[in-house]
Amino acid sequence: MWASIDSDNNVTKVYTRPTAITYGDVNYPQNVMSSWTNDELATIKVYPVVEDSTNYEDPSYYINTNETFTYYDSVAINGITYTNTVVGAYGTATPMALNDTTDADGTVTPGLKSNAITVQNQQAYGLLEPSDWYVVRKSENGTAIPTDWDNWRESIRTTYQQQVVAINACTTVPEFQALFTPVGDPPVAPLPQFPPSPS
C-alpha cells in the first residue's frame, strides 16, 4: 500500500495496489510503485503505508473507526522505527451493545447476547433434528428411544441452557468475547460445547 502527500505533508490519496499516477507534468506507469525504491518514490511524493492495528478490534464485537492516514518523518510502531512513511491507524473502537436496545419508535435491536443465544439455539435445533424421528416413533407406537440417543438429546438441551447462563452472565464485551475465543491445546472456546452424537 502507498500514499501520496501534498507540499504540506497531508495525505491526498491512498493506493491499495500499484497505480499509474501523475506528478507535476509527468505521467508515471503503475509499475513504479512496485519497482522503485522508497527513496525514488519519495521524489514524486509517494510513500509506503505502514498499518498500525493497535486500536483495531474484532468487528464481531466492536465498531471500528475509519482508518486515517498520516505522514511521519519518523515514527515508532510496535517497537520498530519507520522514517518517511505514512501510517494507517484506527481510533478507539466502540464496543457493541451487549443487551437489546429499544429506540424511540419501540424498535428493538438485539444485542450481542441475544444474537449469540439465537445462534446457539439454532445449532441445538440443527443437532437434534436428524434424530427427531426417534421421538415421533415413540409417540406413534411406543417404541422406546435408544438410551444413548435419549441421553445425548438431553445433554444437548442441558448444554444449551448452560450456554444461555454463561452468555447472560457477561457484563462486559471483553468478557463476552472471551467466551467464544479458543484457548488451550487443542484450542477450545470456554463456552460449553455441544457433545458429539452417538456413533
Side-chain angles (χ1 to χ4, degrees):
M1 188 180 293
W2 301 264
S4 293
I5 67 173
D6 61 20
S7 58
D8 294 321
N9 290 343
N10 297 311
V11 174
T12 57
K13 191 164 185 179
V14 175
Y15 309 93
T16 57
R17 62 182 186 277
T19 306
I21 62 172
T22 299
Y23 181 73
D25 297 326
V26 180
N27 296 321
Y28 295 88
Q30 64 181 32
N31 66 353
V32 298
M33 291 185 183
S34 56
S35 61
W36 281 20
T37 66
N38 289 343
D39 288 340
E40 289 173 323
L41 287 172
T43 64
I44 58 172
K45 292 290 189 177
V46 173
Y47 297 87
V49 173
V50 175
E51 297 278 357
D52 181 0
S53 59
T54 303
N55 290 329
Y56 187 84
E57 300 287 354
D58 188 330
S60 297
Y61 309 98
Y62 292 84
I63 301 170
N64 289 289
T65 66
N66 291 327
E67 191 173 13
T68 59
F69 298 89
T70 308
Y71 171 81
Y72 294 92
D73 292 324
S74 179
V75 63
I77 300 174
N78 297 324
I80 301 174
T81 299
Y82 299 88
T83 58
N84 300 322
T85 193
V86 171
V87 175
Y90 297 86
T92 303
T94 302
M96 292 182 179
L98 270 179
N99 301 305
D100 298 352
T101 56
T102 305
D103 65 18
D105 297 327
T107 302
V108 177
T109 300
L112 290 171
K113 289 181 181 181
S114 289
N115 287 330
I117 289 171
T118 297
V119 169
Q120 299 309 127
N121 181 274
Q122 291 171 343
Q123 289 182 0
Y125 178 83
L127 289 169
L128 291 172
E129 187 177 27
S131 59
D132 281 350
W133 68 273
Y134 281 125
V135 179
V136 174
R137 184 181 66 176
K138 179 180 179 180
S139 175
E140 290 181 347
N141 61 29
T143 301
I145 300 172
T147 301
D148 55 348
W149 281 95
D150 197 27
N151 291 340
W152 174 76
R153 287 175 61 85
E154 183 59 30
S155 71
I156 293 297
R157 290 186 285 268
T158 299
T159 300
Y160 169 69
Q161 291 303 323
Q162 293 171 342
Q163 292 171 341
V164 171
V165 169
I167 290 169
N168 281 329
C170 294
T171 58
T172 66
V173 170
E175 186 180 358
F176 176 83
Q177 183 178 1
L179 275 182
F180 299 89
T181 303
V183 295
D185 185 20
V188 178
L191 186 74
Q193 303 295 299
F194 291 117
S197 63
S199 55

